[in-house]
Each structure stands twice: as structure tokens, then as C-alpha cells.
Amino acid sequence: MTVLILTSEEDVTADMVVVHLNASGVPVVRLDPADLPGGVALSGEYVHGAFRGHLSAAGRLVSIGGLRSIWVRRPGAAAARAAAPSDWLTEEASQALYGMLRGSAARWMNHPDAARRARHKPWQLHLAQRCGLPVPATLITTFPQAARAFAERYPDLVVKPVSGTHPQDPPLAVPTSRVDPDTDFSAVAHGPTLLQRRVAKRADIRLTAVGDRMLAARKATDDADPREIDVRFAPSTAPWQPVEVPTCVAAGVQAYLRDAELAYGAFDFAEEADGTWWFLECNQSGQFGFVEVDTGQPIALSVAEWLAAPGPERPSRVNGRGSVTR
Amino acid sequence: MTVLILTSEEDVTADMVVVHLNASGVPVVRLDPADLPGGVALSGEYVHGAFRGHLSAAGRLVSIGGLRSIWVRRPGAAAARAAAPSDWLTEEASQALYGMLRGSAARWMNHPDAARRARHKPWQLHLAQRCGLPVPATLITTFPQAARAFAERYPDLVVKPVSGTHPQDPPLAVPTSRVDPDTDFSAVAHGPTLLQRRVAKRADIRLTAVGDRMLAARKATDDADPREIDVRFAPSTAPWQPVEVPTCVAAGVQAYLRDAELAYGAFDFAEEADGTWWFLECNQSGQFGFVEVDTGQPIALSVAEWLAAPGPERPSRVNGRGSVTR
């Protein structure tokens, strides 16, 4: 049974995991959908009520029925490197590849449907609430009056994008910024705006969840310049250090992963002075290399072990989400 | 409890359903995400562990918690008609709208995740096989040698797109075409190709499934010009007529809908001389107006009744797919 890794050629994070998989002797096929058709080829046959499919990459042939797990790391768009690329060819190649893989019994990290759903920030906030994780008071609105009323109740505010990364090429991360409560909120009518009570944090928490395993890291912040609130843009003053996961957070995170049907998630929390971990977001494809480098936590190894676990989770499922078929 | 219909302004099919909903007195809000922000506004607040959200359209305000069902008919892209449209605004507005709706307890026709998955033809074929529906022998491949071998086994072949509609504007339906078994298949290496045994059909079958209800229609074909095999492009000679659904097909279709998590599906079958209904595809957003006009079958009424059914299916689910949360 083979591990399939879908990612671009240059991916140091994938390299870290492949080292562990190779050490354990588990067969690995790594390919970029951008190379289909071309360096990657596929064939699937539906005859006499059964499916038989194969993928070929770098001279290796693997049976789709022989996949134990599929890691969707950072795949390129299908057919992006084809001799004559086009939107149509990308669509055809994508549907052929993922359509076949979706019929396999392999375990996914993460399943494309779960991954897509998990990117919706409003849905994340709702799910975190339901799972008992503390969520800072948040408003997403196109009503200026609602924004004004919220700013009166929570005058110490930040604004951040609803959807995360700005879809330019290369993608532009939009920093979280503070906003004055007496701001003119009339522009809110021109685009949904996410306002959130600012957490006066004493540390940032990155919790990386891999299956049932949770590895949390903490980076102290001095909150000296309260304008620098986005850890991605602040100059690094302290290293990430391993930290225990409070029991109630662990239960919430496990519930979140189960309901979100995610095998991997990178959770960001803000730790307040009273010790509360406030849920900010869960990135289903979050990087983990920088945490592993600082903390020495075995995240790549955990990913490798999850991918290498024997056999499909539910041998008879067809839709990758546990629905048992005849 | 309100029915929410997401569709464009001009949508005769939606009009047909709204007539029935209005007659039954069920509140309906119809909007096009293209009008968000602008004619459509939204606001959602996550405070003290609870979510409260609202949508506003055409001067009506509806609570997201008060939605009984959501019909995703033919919605425009979010923010497409904004004063200053952009990819970024579309992404923000789409995530805000669907992110909030995904957290609602409403029943979906169809849920966006199920809809997206259901478009994958290879997955459709695999699921149909598993559900016991007869599937004509099919090959999807980029291996010329595999195509040649398949053509030797099944010399009476058709070729069709893997992904359905060509993504130009307006979309171009690519007809299914016959292909000679001695074709030069080397071009298969340049794009995944779907080859299928041609069914010598005596009729086309369109089975429209709405929840548990199945309404099938049959249109006789004379197979006189075997080059005209795509009903969408053949001149109409016979009307659609209602037909009974064979018991084994009914069981397969119900299993398909259940596993695909679809509330609506338009199934296309080819009826062979021996009476077998061969599964060709299931279009989760297939039109039904033309069948209703020909047959008088109450499809719009069935859709309206499904949408109007009281309350959410599973009040406590959060992800729209039956996962129960605390």
C-alpha cells in the first residue's frame, strides 16, 4: 500500500515527511497534478461493475486501489505545465485525477471537500463556538450601522479579511489591523468586513493537530506596540516553545477536527493574561516547518506516521467521508 | 421558517417553484449572490458562544437561524454586480455569505460540497457501479496503448468530455461523438479522454429525483442515424413521456442520492433493446422544465414540497452533512 503525495516539486515541508516515510520503508509516490498530462499519466477502467485505475509518475506505476493515503500538500493546478495549457485542459485533467482518487478507499490528509469547507472563516467561528472553544466577539457585516453598534460595545477592535489570503499572484497575506471605534464605518456597505474584539494577548499559540496528536507551541509577546498584532508581520523576538495543551482546549480541538472531517489542522490561538486560549482560526493547510525548527516537536514524523498507518480507514466507503456502500 | 433561493433574476425554473411555494403560504426569500454587496446585505455576529445572522434582500430581512431550506439554483458569482467588482471582493463576499449559510441548520438542495463532488464524472461512474446501476464499459486515460486495447475490446465506441461543459463564456456543451476503433489514439497522451461502449439505445431516459420522489420520462429514438447519439443535439422527433421506474433502478438511484448526499439529481440513462437502463450521468443541477412541459409530471411541485417541508432535517448539525455537534 502506497502513500500518494500531491505537491509541487519544490516543497521542503514535503521533503521532511518523505525522509521519515523512506526511513520506515513505506512506498511513496510524489507527483504534481501540474504535470498531468505529461510527466504524470493516468488510466481508469470501469468494466463489469468494477473500477481499476493507475497513476504513473517518474516512471513508477501505482494502482489507485493500492493507495493507503493521499496527502494533498501544495499541488499545482492540473495540466498547468502541459504543452498546450488551457482552462479546459485543466478542468478535464483535474476532474479525471481527483474524480478517480475520490473513488479510492484511501485516507485523505485532507479530503478536498473538507479542505474547501474548512477555509470558510464564518463557518470556522461557528464550529469553534459549537466545540466549546472561546471565540473573541466577532462581527461580519455589510451594514454600517451594525459595525457602529459593535464598535460601541467592543471599542478595542481589529479588522481582518473574511477570506484570508488576497488572491493575487503571488498571494498577498492581508495583515490584521487595529481599527478605531470612531472610524467611519460607511464603507462597510461596499464589502463584507470582519471586526473582532482585540485580545490583549501575552502569547501566540500555534497548535498543530495531526490525527489524534496535538503539538502546541507558544511564543511570548510583550504587547509593547499594540499596533503589531499580526504575528506573521511582527519581527520575531522570542522563539516558539513547546507548551502543554489545556484539557478543555484539547477536547474542543478534537471535536473541531472530527466535525470538520480534517486529519490535519494548524490552529492559531491568542493567549490572554488570564491564560485563556482564544480561537482565531484553523488553517487546514498551515505550514509547520517553522514550529518544528524552533521547538523540535516531531510534526513531520507525526504526519508521516499518519500517512503510513496501514490500510484504508473504512474499506468500503466510496465518497471519502465514511458513507458505507453496498 | 423561510425558504431561501439562490439564483439569478431571470430563472423561469425558479419561477415555477416559487408559484407553488407562494400558493402554500411558505415564506420565500430569493436573491442572487451577485448583488452582495448592494441589493443584498448580510450581517452575522459571533458573541458569547452563539451566532446570530441576517440577510437582507429587496427590503426583506431574514434570520439565518430561521431558514428551513436553501435551494442553490443558478446563483451568480458573489459581488459580480458590485459597483467595483474584483476577484478579491468576490472571494470576500462568497466566503461571508456561504460561510454563514454553511453554519445554518437549514436543509440544502444541494449542499455546495455535495454539488461540487457530484460533478466529477469518474466519481459518478464509480458510485453508480457501487449502487448497482449498470454502467457501460468506460475508459478514462492518457495512455494511447490503453485506448487502443479498449477499442479492440469495444469497437463500437463513443468519446465524451471528462468534465462536461466547456468552460467558455457562454459555456459550450461538447457533444458525445462516435469514434472509429481504428482511430489514431496517440493524441490521448495530451489530455485525459473518456471512451465508452456505445449503447444501442431505443430510448433516452431522464429520471428526475427530488428527495425520495422519482419522476422518470422516456423519449423513443429510432437509432436511424447512429451518428446522432447526443439527445441534446439531435432534432426532437418524439415527446418525453412518463415511464415507470424499474424496481432495481429505483433502489440504485436512492442509494446513489444517499451516498452522494444529494436532495436533487437529474439522471440520464440509455435504454437498450433488452430494456436495460444504462447509467450515463447524474447532473445535480439538471434542468427539469422541458420534461415537466412534455409530461405534465409535477417536478416543480415536488421541489417546492421538499423545500417547504417543516424545519431542519437535523437541528443540531453544524456542517450540513449530518455530523451532530454538542
Side-chain angles (χ1 to χ4, degrees), chain A residues 43 92 163 259 261 321 325, chain B residues 92 103 141 163 259 261 321 325:
Chain A
S43 200
E92 289 278 293
S163 60
D259 283 358
E261 298 172 283
R321 289 212 304 272
T325 56
Chain B
E92 289 278 294
T141 197
S163 59
D259 283 357
E261 298 172 281
R321 290 212 304 273
T325 55

Side-chain angles (χ1 to χ4, degrees), chain B residues 68-82:
Chain B
R68 74 171 76 200
S69 58
I70 302 169
W71 188 23
V72 187
R73 245 297 290 176
R74 299 266 156 127
R81 273 194 292 276

Side-chain angles (χ1 to χ4, degrees), chain B residues 15-309:
Chain B
D15 296 344
M16 291 166 64
V17 171
V18 168
V19 165
H20 291 294
L21 287 169
N22 287 342
S24 67
V26 173
V28 179
V29 167
R30 173 177 171 164
L31 64 86
D32 188 350
D35 294 320
L36 170 74
V40 175
L42 60 73
S43 200
E45 192 182 272
Y46 306 78
V47 172
H48 300 312
F51 169 70
R52 282 176 47 236
H54 293 88
L55 284 172
S56 147
R60 292 195 51 186
L61 194 70
V62 60
S63 151
I64 289 177
L67 296 178
R68 74 171 76 200
S69 58
I70 302 169
W71 188 23
V72 187
R73 245 297 290 176
R74 299 266 156 127
R81 273 194 292 276
S86 71
D87 287 351
W88 169 242
L89 183 56
T90 289
E91 187 66 14
E92 289 278 294
S94 174
Q95 297 251 350
L97 175 63
Y98 290 101
M100 281 187 205
L101 293 178
R102 281 165 173 271
S104 87
R107 300 148 68 240
W108 291 79
M109 180 183 275
N110 288 314
H111 193 281
D113 294 331
R116 182 180 168 81
R117 182 179 49 179
R119 291 190 197 105
H120 290 78
K121 187 73 70 70
W123 181 86
Q124 287 188 21
L125 298 173
H126 197 191
L127 180 56
Q129 285 184 330
R130 298 250 196 164
C131 294
L133 295 169
V135 173
T138 306
L139 178 75
I140 299 172
T141 197
T142 62
F143 288 98
Q145 184 48 40
R148 281 180 214 116
F150 191 78
E152 277 173 28
R153 285 154 67 202
Y154 304 99
D156 193 359
L157 278 180
V158 296
V159 61
K160 49 174 110 171
V162 176
S163 59
T165 309
H166 194 291
Q168 67 182 42
D169 188 25
L172 174 70
V174 180
T176 298
S177 312
R178 292 183 76 165
V179 56
D180 286 328
D182 56 353
T183 298
D184 173 11
F185 284 107
S186 56
V188 157
H190 302 299
T193 301
L194 192 158
L195 299 171
Q196 192 167 64
R197 173 179 83 76
R198 185 180 76 93
V199 177
K201 67 185 177 189
R202 66 179 184 195
D204 291 298
I205 304 287
R206 163 56 71 93
L207 187 159
T208 308
V210 184
D212 294 334
R213 212 171 293 178
M214 285 175 283
L215 297 154
R218 182 178 187 277
K219 184 201 277 268
T221 57
D222 53 11
D223 214 33
D225 181 353
R227 298 237 146 233
E228 276 168 9
I229 53 164
D230 193 323
V231 67
R232 295 169 299 174
F233 297 88
S236 182
T237 52
W240 290 97
Q241 294 189 308
V243 64
E244 284 271 307
V245 182
T247 312
C248 57
V249 174
V253 165
Q254 285 301 325
Y256 188 105
L257 291 170
R258 188 184 58 237
D259 283 357
E261 298 172 281
L262 294 175
Y264 177 92
F267 290 76
D268 286 327
F269 296 92
E271 183 185 300
E272 214 167 21
D274 67 356
T276 303
W277 288 14
W278 290 94
F279 173 89
L280 298 180
E281 67 177 316
C282 171
N283 184 345
Q284 66 83 30
S285 69
Q287 294 285 8
F288 59 79
F290 66 97
V291 181
E292 178 149 349
V293 166
D294 269 14
T295 63
Q297 288 172 319
I299 306 177
L301 177 64
S302 300
V303 171
E305 287 178 353
W306 190 95
L307 293 170

